Coordinates of all heavy atoms in Angstrom, one line a residue:
L5 N 143.3 -48.7 -183.7 CA 141.9 -49.0 -183.8 C 141.1 -47.8 -183.9 O 141.2 -46.9 -183.0 CB 141.5 -49.9 -182.6 CG 140.0 -50.3 -182.7 CD1 139.7 -51.3 -183.8 CD2 139.6 -51.0 -181.3
D6 N 140.3 -47.6 -184.9 CA 139.5 -46.4 -185.1 C 138.1 -46.9 -185.6 O 137.9 -47.1 -186.8 CB 140.1 -45.5 -186.1 CG 139.3 -44.2 -186.3 OD1 138.2 -44.0 -185.6 OD2 139.7 -43.4 -187.2
V7 N 137.1 -47.0 -184.7 CA 135.8 -47.5 -185.2 C 135.0 -46.5 -186.0 O 134.0 -46.8 -186.6 CB 134.9 -47.9 -183.9 CG1 135.6 -49.0 -183.1 CG2 134.7 -46.7 -183.0
T8 N 135.6 -45.3 -186.2 CA 135.0 -44.3 -187.1 C 135.7 -44.3 -188.4 O 135.4 -43.4 -189.3 CB 135.1 -42.9 -186.5 OG1 136.4 -42.4 -186.4 CG2 134.5 -42.8 -185.1
R9 N 136.6 -45.2 -188.7 CA 137.4 -45.2 -189.9 C 136.4 -45.3 -191.1 O 135.5 -46.2 -191.1 CB 138.3 -46.4 -189.9 CG 139.4 -46.3 -191.0 CD 140.3 -47.5 -191.0 NE 141.1 -47.6 -189.8 CZ 142.4 -47.0 -189.6 NH1 142.9 -46.4 -190.7 NH2 143.0 -47.1 -188.5
A10 N 136.6 -44.4 -192.1 CA 135.6 -44.3 -193.2 C 135.6 -45.6 -194.1 O 134.5 -46.0 -194.5 CB 135.9 -43.1 -194.0
D11 N 136.7 -46.2 -194.3 CA 136.8 -47.3 -195.3 C 137.8 -48.3 -194.8 O 138.9 -48.4 -195.3 CB 137.1 -46.7 -196.7 CG 137.2 -47.8 -197.7 OD1 136.5 -48.8 -197.5 OD2 137.8 -47.6 -198.8
P12 N 137.4 -49.2 -193.9 CA 138.3 -50.2 -193.4 C 138.7 -51.2 -194.5 O 139.9 -51.5 -194.5 CB 137.5 -50.9 -192.3 CG 136.4 -50.0 -191.9 CD 136.1 -49.2 -193.1
A13 N 137.8 -51.5 -195.4 CA 138.1 -52.4 -196.5 C 139.1 -53.6 -196.2 O 140.1 -53.8 -196.8 CB 138.8 -51.5 -197.6
A14 N 138.7 -54.3 -195.1 CA 139.5 -55.4 -194.7 C 139.4 -56.5 -195.6 O 138.5 -56.8 -196.3 CB 139.0 -55.9 -193.3
L15 N 140.5 -57.3 -195.7 CA 140.6 -58.5 -196.5 C 140.3 -59.8 -195.6 O 140.7 -60.9 -196.0 CB 142.0 -58.6 -197.1 CG 142.2 -57.6 -198.3 CD1 143.7 -57.7 -198.7 CD2 141.3 -57.8 -199.4
A16 N 139.7 -59.6 -194.4 CA 139.6 -60.7 -193.5 C 138.8 -61.8 -194.1 O 139.0 -63.0 -193.7 CB 138.9 -60.1 -192.2
F17 N 137.9 -61.5 -195.0 CA 137.0 -62.6 -195.6 C 137.6 -62.9 -197.0 O 136.9 -63.6 -197.8 CB 135.6 -62.1 -195.7 CG 134.9 -62.0 -194.3 CD1 134.4 -60.8 -193.9 CD2 134.8 -63.1 -193.5 CE1 133.8 -60.6 -192.7 CE2 134.2 -62.9 -192.3 CZ 133.7 -61.7 -191.9
G18 N 138.8 -62.5 -197.3 CA 139.3 -62.8 -198.6 C 138.8 -61.8 -199.7 O 138.3 -60.7 -199.4
S19 N 139.0 -62.2 -200.9 CA 138.6 -61.3 -202.0 C 138.5 -62.3 -203.3 O 139.0 -63.4 -203.3 CB 139.6 -60.2 -202.3 OG 139.1 -59.3 -203.3
G20 N 137.8 -61.8 -204.3 CA 137.7 -62.6 -205.5 C 136.7 -63.7 -205.4 O 135.8 -63.7 -204.5
P21 N 136.8 -64.7 -206.2 CA 135.9 -65.8 -206.3 C 135.7 -66.6 -205.0 O 134.6 -67.1 -204.7 CB 136.4 -66.8 -207.4 CG 137.3 -66.0 -208.2 CD 137.9 -64.9 -207.2
H22 N 136.7 -66.6 -204.1 CA 136.6 -67.4 -202.9 C 136.3 -66.5 -201.7 O 136.5 -67.0 -200.6 CB 138.0 -68.1 -202.7 CG 138.1 -69.4 -203.4 ND1 137.6 -70.6 -202.8 CD2 138.5 -69.7 -204.6 CE1 137.8 -71.6 -203.7 NE2 138.3 -71.1 -204.8
V23 N 135.9 -65.3 -201.9 CA 135.5 -64.5 -200.7 C 134.5 -65.2 -199.9 O 133.6 -65.9 -200.4 CB 134.9 -63.1 -201.2 CG1 133.6 -63.3 -201.9 CG2 134.8 -62.1 -200.0
C24 N 134.6 -65.1 -198.6 CA 133.8 -65.9 -197.7 C 132.3 -65.8 -197.9 O 131.8 -64.7 -197.9 CB 134.1 -65.6 -196.2 SG 133.2 -66.4 -195.0
L25 N 131.6 -66.9 -198.2 CA 130.2 -66.8 -198.5 C 129.4 -66.5 -197.2 O 128.2 -66.0 -197.3 CB 129.7 -68.0 -199.2 CG 129.8 -69.4 -198.5 CD1 128.6 -69.6 -197.6 CD2 129.7 -70.5 -199.6
G26 N 129.9 -66.7 -196.1 CA 129.2 -66.4 -194.8 C 129.6 -65.1 -194.2 O 129.3 -64.9 -193.0
A27 N 130.3 -64.2 -194.9 CA 130.8 -63.0 -194.4 C 129.6 -62.1 -193.7 O 129.8 -61.6 -192.6 CB 131.5 -62.2 -195.4
A28 N 128.5 -62.0 -194.4 CA 127.4 -61.2 -193.9 C 126.9 -61.7 -192.7 O 126.5 -61.0 -191.7 CB 126.3 -61.0 -195.0
L29 N 126.8 -63.1 -192.6 CA 126.2 -63.7 -191.4 C 127.2 -63.5 -190.2 O 126.8 -63.2 -189.1 CB 126.0 -65.2 -191.6 CG 125.6 -66.0 -190.4 CD1 124.3 -65.5 -189.9 CD2 125.5 -67.5 -190.8
T30 N 128.5 -63.6 -190.4 CA 129.5 -63.4 -189.4 C 129.4 -62.0 -188.9 O 129.4 -61.7 -187.7 CB 130.9 -63.7 -189.9 OG1 131.0 -65.1 -190.2 CG2 131.9 -63.4 -188.9
R31 N 129.3 -61.0 -189.8 CA 129.2 -59.6 -189.3 C 127.9 -59.4 -188.6 O 127.9 -58.7 -187.5 CB 129.2 -58.7 -190.6 CG 130.6 -58.6 -191.2 CD 130.7 -57.4 -192.1 NE 129.7 -57.5 -193.2 CZ 130.0 -58.0 -194.4 NH1 131.2 -58.4 -194.7 NH2 129.0 -58.0 -195.3
M32 N 126.8 -60.0 -189.0 CA 125.5 -59.9 -188.3 C 125.7 -60.4 -186.8 O 125.2 -59.7 -185.9 CB 124.4 -60.6 -189.0 CG 123.1 -60.6 -188.3 SD 121.8 -61.6 -189.1 CE 121.7 -60.9 -190.7
E33 N 126.3 -61.5 -186.7 CA 126.4 -62.1 -185.3 C 127.3 -61.1 -184.5 O 126.9 -60.9 -183.3 CB 127.1 -63.5 -185.4 CG 126.2 -64.5 -186.0 CD 126.8 -65.9 -186.1 OE1 127.2 -66.5 -185.1 OE2 127.1 -66.3 -187.3
A34 N 128.3 -60.6 -185.0 CA 129.2 -59.7 -184.2 C 128.5 -58.4 -183.9 O 128.6 -57.9 -182.8 CB 130.5 -59.4 -185.1
E35 N 127.7 -57.9 -184.8 CA 127.0 -56.7 -184.5 C 126.0 -56.9 -183.4 O 125.8 -56.0 -182.5 CB 126.2 -56.2 -185.8 CG 127.2 -55.7 -186.9 CD 126.5 -55.5 -188.2 OE1 125.2 -55.4 -188.2 OE2 127.2 -55.3 -189.2
V36 N 125.3 -58.0 -183.4 CA 124.3 -58.3 -182.4 C 125.0 -58.4 -181.0 O 124.5 -57.8 -180.0 CB 123.5 -59.6 -182.7 CG1 122.6 -60.0 -181.5 CG2 122.6 -59.3 -183.9
V37 N 126.0 -59.2 -181.0 CA 126.7 -59.4 -179.7 C 127.3 -58.0 -179.2 O 127.1 -57.7 -178.0 CB 127.9 -60.4 -179.9 CG1 128.7 -60.4 -178.6 CG2 127.3 -61.8 -180.1
L38 N 127.9 -57.2 -180.0 CA 128.4 -56.0 -179.6 C 127.3 -55.0 -179.1 O 127.4 -54.4 -178.0 CB 129.2 -55.3 -180.7 CG 130.6 -55.7 -180.9 CD1 131.2 -54.9 -182.0 CD2 131.4 -55.5 -179.6
R39 N 126.2 -55.0 -179.8 CA 125.1 -54.1 -179.4 C 124.6 -54.5 -178.0 O 124.3 -53.6 -177.2 CB 124.0 -54.1 -180.5 CG 122.9 -53.1 -180.2 CD 121.9 -53.0 -181.3 NE 121.1 -54.2 -181.5 CZ 121.3 -55.1 -182.4 NH1 122.2 -54.9 -183.3 NH2 120.5 -56.1 -182.5
K40 N 124.4 -55.8 -177.8 CA 123.8 -56.2 -176.6 C 124.8 -56.1 -175.4 O 124.4 -55.8 -174.3 CB 123.3 -57.7 -176.7 CG 122.1 -57.8 -177.6 CD 121.5 -59.1 -177.6 CE 120.2 -59.2 -178.5 NZ 119.1 -58.3 -178.0
M41 N 126.1 -56.3 -175.6 CA 127.1 -56.2 -174.6 C 127.2 -54.7 -174.2 O 127.2 -54.4 -173.0 CB 128.4 -56.7 -175.0 CG 128.5 -58.2 -175.1 SD 130.2 -58.8 -175.3 CE 130.8 -57.9 -176.7
L42 N 127.2 -53.8 -175.2 CA 127.3 -52.4 -174.9 C 126.0 -51.9 -174.1 O 126.1 -51.0 -173.2 CB 127.4 -51.6 -176.2 CG 128.8 -51.7 -176.8 CD1 128.7 -51.3 -178.3 CD2 129.8 -50.8 -176.1
S43 N 124.9 -52.5 -174.3 CA 123.7 -52.1 -173.6 C 123.7 -52.7 -172.2 O 123.3 -52.0 -171.2 CB 122.5 -52.6 -174.4 OG 121.3 -52.4 -173.7
R44 N 124.1 -54.0 -172.1 CA 124.0 -54.6 -170.8 C 125.2 -54.2 -169.9 O 125.1 -54.2 -168.7 CB 124.0 -56.1 -171.0 CG 122.8 -56.7 -171.5 CD 123.0 -58.2 -171.8 NE 121.8 -58.9 -172.2 CZ 121.1 -59.8 -171.6 NH1 121.6 -60.3 -170.5 NH2 120.1 -60.4 -172.1
W45 N 126.4 -54.0 -170.5 CA 127.6 -53.7 -169.8 C 128.1 -52.3 -170.2 O 129.2 -52.2 -170.9 CB 128.7 -54.8 -170.2 CG 128.3 -56.2 -170.1 CD1 127.2 -56.7 -169.4 CD2 128.9 -57.3 -170.7 NE1 127.2 -58.1 -169.5 CE2 128.2 -58.5 -170.3 CE3 130.1 -57.5 -171.5 CZ2 128.6 -59.8 -170.7 CZ3 130.4 -58.7 -171.9 CH2 129.7 -59.9 -171.5
P46 N 127.5 -51.3 -169.7 CA 127.9 -50.0 -170.1 C 129.3 -49.7 -169.6 O 130.1 -48.9 -170.2 CB 126.9 -49.0 -169.4 CG 126.2 -49.9 -168.4 CD 126.2 -51.3 -168.9
E47 N 129.7 -50.3 -168.4 CA 131.0 -50.2 -168.0 C 131.9 -51.3 -168.6 O 131.5 -52.5 -168.6 CB 131.1 -50.3 -166.4 CG 130.3 -49.2 -165.7 CD 130.9 -47.8 -165.9 OE1 132.2 -47.8 -166.1 OE2 130.1 -46.9 -166.0

């Protein structure tokens, strides 16, 4: 695991015509949760 990886290019949301239409929303939710946990739970 390397959170500084320059180009993760994951296929987690698929690719092509069926790429997950809610991918951006899912990432947004994860970003908010991580940011708030890191702020509230420094340990």
Side-chain angles (χ1 to χ4, degrees):
L5 179 67
D6 180 5
V7 298
T8 69
R9 195 180 294 271
D11 181 22
L15 292 172
F17 294 120
S19 186
H22 276 268
V23 67
C24 176
L25 60 82
L29 176 59
T30 295
R31 288 196 300 265
M32 179 188 293
E33 292 177 64
E35 289 169 18
V36 169
V37 171
L38 277 182
R39 187 173 69 252
K40 291 188 177 294
M41 288 193 308
L42 287 159
S43 174
R44 288 174 177 242
W45 308 342
E47 298 297 326

